[in-house]
Amino acid sequence: MSESLQSGFIGHLIELRNRLMKALLSILLIFIALVYFANDIYAFVAAPLVNSLPENSTMIATDVTAPFFAPFKLTLFISLFAAIPFILHQVWSFIAPGLYQHEKRMLVPILVSSIVLFYSGIAFCYFVVMPIILGFFTSVGPEMMTLSPDISSYLSFILKLFFAFGVAFEIPVAIMLLCWSGATTTQSLREKRPYIVVGAFVIAMFLTPPDVLSQTLLALPMLLLFELGLVLAAFYTKKTTEQQEEEL
């Protein structure tokens, strides 16, 4: 019996290793396909800043290697973001055999929505938040100051915001999973709404650069997504309960 359990455990570890290798390979293949366009990708990501710069101002590189490594690093992160659907598919393929039928019906839409929400968060950051933030910051400095942002500093800034908004937009999925697993209920979360409002601004403070504008632009969508998560969680929890009763 113990040998059977051991062989089963080793089999799961081997499958997990294979899934991880496939996920890493997907990132590598996407990176190889995109690396030739690394400079174009960086130019696209830097467009909100470039469009906000005063006339005759440009971005600079304070490090000799920055013109090469900044686009290279950005392309690597873009490859990771682009591979997320395949990575989540590998995760799903690994855990799906151990799930009940009603759990599979519940988790498939959650898996799809988590991908859509993550990309929506990044798109919201790029098309809405970045022009507002950068337009504000590039217009409030002293007139005698020449603004010339460093390309490496801007890369760190934009990647931090992309990650923050991508993760923040997963709030509805997190709430649905918490309520579905029984860790909490929608009623309990509604009662804690004042604390959650404060918590959203605290989390935004840690996830965004140290300015009130970007923190507010992250906290407000988080609160709206929290309300959306409550609505979806109430619907899916009720639906899952009915499916379990039908199966019984």
Side-chain angles (χ1 to χ4, degrees):
M1 185 67 178
S2 61
E3 292 181 359
S4 176
L5 289 174
Q6 184 177 3
S7 61
F9 179 71
I10 293 175
H12 284 303
L13 287 179
I14 293 174
E15 183 182 1
L16 178 61
R17 181 200 63 184
N18 293 337
R19 299 289 180 189
L20 289 174
M21 292 300 295
K22 289 179 180 179
L24 293 174
L25 181 61
S26 67
I27 298 173
L28 178 61
L29 291 176
I30 295 174
F31 175 76
I32 292 173
L34 294 179
V35 69
Y36 177 79
F37 306 99
N39 290 335
D40 296 327
I41 293 172
Y42 191 94
F44 175 78
V45 173
L49 174 60
V50 174
N51 294 336
S52 301
L53 288 175
E55 190 176 355
N56 299 324
S57 295
T58 60
M59 300 182 70
I60 63 171
T62 57
D63 190 346
V64 175
T65 60
F68 171 78
F69 280 109
F72 185 89
K73 181 180 178 181
L74 175 61
T75 304
L76 182 61
F77 275 93
I78 294 295
S79 303
L80 173 61
F81 292 158
I84 283 178
F86 183 79
I87 295 172
L88 291 179
H89 173 71
Q90 294 302 312
V91 173
W92 169 253
S93 299
F94 181 73
I95 65 175
L99 300 176
Y100 293 107
Q101 193 62 34
H102 70 272
E103 292 174 332
K104 292 181 181 180
R105 287 197 294 265
M106 169 70 180
L107 289 178
V108 167
I110 287 180
L111 184 67
V112 174
S113 61
S114 65
I115 297 173
V116 174
L117 286 170
F118 183 81
Y119 288 143
S120 299
I122 294 178
F124 178 78
C125 176
Y126 180 82
F127 291 105
V128 179
V129 176
M130 293 305 300
I132 295 175
I133 293 177
L134 296 174
F136 172 76
F137 286 135
T138 55
S139 63
V140 297
E143 294 183 359
M144 75 286 296
M145 181 187 69
T146 301
L147 182 62
S148 299
D150 176 60
I151 61 173
S152 297
S153 298
Y154 176 73
L155 177 61
S156 300
F157 174 79
I158 193 68
L159 288 178
K160 186 175 182 180
L161 281 182
F162 280 168
F163 179 78
F165 278 85
V167 172
F169 270 58
E170 299 292 337
I171 288 176
V173 173
I175 292 176
M176 291 169 62
L177 289 175
L178 287 172
C179 295
W180 175 66
S181 65
T184 186
T185 63
T186 54
Q187 181 61 33
S188 176
L189 290 174
R190 289 191 183 97
E191 293 173 355
K192 296 181 175 64
R193 187 179 279 114
Y195 303 100
I196 291 173
V197 172
V198 176
F201 281 91
V202 172
I203 293 173
M205 179 179 65
F206 285 103
L207 291 180
T208 60
D211 64 273
V212 177
L213 184 58
S214 58
Q215 292 168 11
T216 304
L217 289 174
L218 177 58
L220 292 180
M222 288 173 64
L223 295 175
L224 293 176
L225 291 167
F226 168 75
E227 298 297 333
L228 175 62
L230 290 179
V231 174
L232 294 176
F235 172 77
Y236 272 99
T237 302
K238 179 181 178 181
K239 186 176 180 180
T240 303
T241 302
E242 293 175 350
Q243 291 174 347
Q244 289 175 334
E245 292 175 352
E246 291 176 0
E247 292 178 1
L248 294 175

